[in-house]
Amino acid sequence: MLISVPYNREQALAYANKWALHYNPRYYNFAKIGGDCTNFASQILYAGCGVMNHDPYGWYYANVNRRSASWCSVEYLYKFLINNRGCGPMGEEVDLRDIQCGDLVQLSLKGQRFEHCPVVVGVQGPRSLASIFVASHTRDVYYEPLSNYKWADIRFVHITGAKK
């Protein structure tokens, strides 16, 4: 029987604060082979929930050769979070007004597929692209306004909790 656990947004943000402009040596740096943004987002999610899903189509990281596709692929992470009924984090797509710190933003830069996944690290005032601040790897940023990004499509993934 699975037990629901809350997503600890404070721990997720503490991890983002520590590693946004540096790379945790425990994890492989994918920046030069396609991008590290979703790997970093997954690290933040793991810091906030402490649970991985080791099923073949789950969400996990042991090393560069033993990891799930959802750990470092924007689309696979989205599908995992939205459809997960097993162990690990769960999420739902929400409107901009419902985004919170520790949630994910996924961007389609050219309109063909979603390919970038920054994490919300700050929200100031009423929700707008200028009041939401993100952290990301590959183009390493911390506390950058979401309004600085140029994108063709955008979606917001609210992390609802996890199961272990």
Side-chain angles (χ1 to χ4, degrees):
M1 182 170 150
L2 296 175
I3 299 168
S4 292
V5 295
Y7 179 53
N8 188 323
R9 293 177 188 280
E10 291 78 25
Q11 283 183 232
L13 288 176
Y15 189 93
N17 288 337
K18 182 174 183 176
W19 295 107
L21 301 177
H22 304 89
Y23 286 66
N24 185 338
R26 182 182 182 282
Y27 298 94
Y28 185 79
N29 177 351
F30 293 91
K32 293 184 178 162
I33 57 168
D36 198 62
C37 63
T38 308
N39 177 37
F40 181 56
S42 286
Q43 292 170 41
I44 293 170
L45 289 174
Y46 182 63
C49 72
V51 181
M52 291 186 190
N53 179 320
H54 292 276
D55 292 339
Y57 296 103
W59 176 79
Y60 62 89
Y61 181 97
N63 61 48
V64 66
N65 297 311
R66 290 185 30 233
R67 60 182 163 78
S68 63
S70 58
W71 188 271
C72 50
S73 163
V74 176
E75 286 292 344
Y76 285 113
L77 177 59
Y78 175 81
K79 289 176 185 174
F80 174 79
L81 291 171
I82 298 303
N83 297 306
N84 184 27
R85 301 296 174 256
C87 291
M90 299 170 293
E92 62 185 4
E93 192 169 340
V94 296
D95 290 321
L96 170 74
R97 69 179 176 266
D98 298 317
I99 203 79
Q100 297 178 26
C101 289
D103 288 342
L104 308 180
V105 177
Q106 294 192 324
L107 301 167
S108 173
L109 303 174
K110 297 176 184 166
Q112 298 168 335
R113 62 184 174 88
F114 286 89
E115 67 242 276
H116 190 51
C117 189
V119 178
V120 177
V121 293
V123 179
Q124 295 179 353
R127 305 295 193 274
S128 73
L129 296 178
S131 71
I132 295 174
F133 299 85
V134 296
S136 181
H137 274 185
T138 304
R139 184 174 72 82
D140 302 347
V141 298
Y142 180 70
Y143 223 78
E144 179 172 57
L146 193 52
S147 57
N148 282 5
Y149 286 88
K150 305 292 183 240
W151 43 269
D153 200 2
I154 189 169
R155 64 185 174 204
F156 304 95
V157 181
H158 173 67
I159 307 305
T160 58
K163 290 188 180 175
K164 65 177 186 174

